Amino acid sequence: MTTPEQKLTLTVTFRGALIAHADKHDLPLTTRQVEGLARAATTAVIDPEVPVVHRQVVLSPQQRETLRALAIGERATETALRLVLSLNTIKTHRRTLFKRMGVRTGAEAVAVGIALGLIAVPAKRRRGSV
């Protein structure tokens, strides 16, 4: 059984690692995303019986694009404008994506997407590179 102190320590450790990784790869993570990822990782370690990741996830092209938009930090309205779709359509794609991946937040979807190789973590660009 894990004590609340151990759970807190683990969450803080994950939080720090996520922030360091995001900084290293120049990924824009919000505080809310970091918290969601840290909680999901803590749950996965403390209670491995809780299904965090479905190993077989097949996404439609729209769902894959929605996941990519989440990974780069786009808001639903920005994605809708870029893809010339309605906001409701983007929200539907997100709900379907979350259900298919077994997640509740965009941060969890991105973490699962990276873990399953559905999206790649971009390499940090050097100054002056194209």
Side-chain angles (χ1 to χ4, degrees), residues 19-37:
I19 291 170
H21 183 77
D23 286 345
K24 180 180 177 184
H25 293 285
D26 202 22
L27 295 174
L29 284 180
T30 65
T31 303
R32 184 175 176 192
Q33 290 171 323
V34 170
E35 289 302 317
L37 289 168

Side-chain angles (χ1 to χ4, degrees), residues 16-79:
L18 287 164
I19 291 170
H21 183 77
D23 286 345
K24 180 180 177 184
H25 293 285
D26 202 22
L27 295 174
L29 284 180
T30 65
T31 303
R32 184 175 176 192
Q33 290 171 323
V34 170
E35 289 302 317
L37 289 168
R39 277 195 310 275
T42 301
T43 300
V45 169
I46 291 174
D47 191 359
E49 297 301 315
V50 174
V52 176
V53 175
H54 295 284
R55 298 291 174 207
Q56 297 293 329
V57 176
V58 179
L59 301 179
S60 71
Q62 296 87 357
Q63 291 165 346
R64 190 175 294 273
E65 182 59 31
T66 302
L67 181 59
R68 192 184 78 70
L70 286 168
I72 62 173
E74 266 186 355
R75 294 175 187 220
T77 53
E78 295 167 333
T79 304

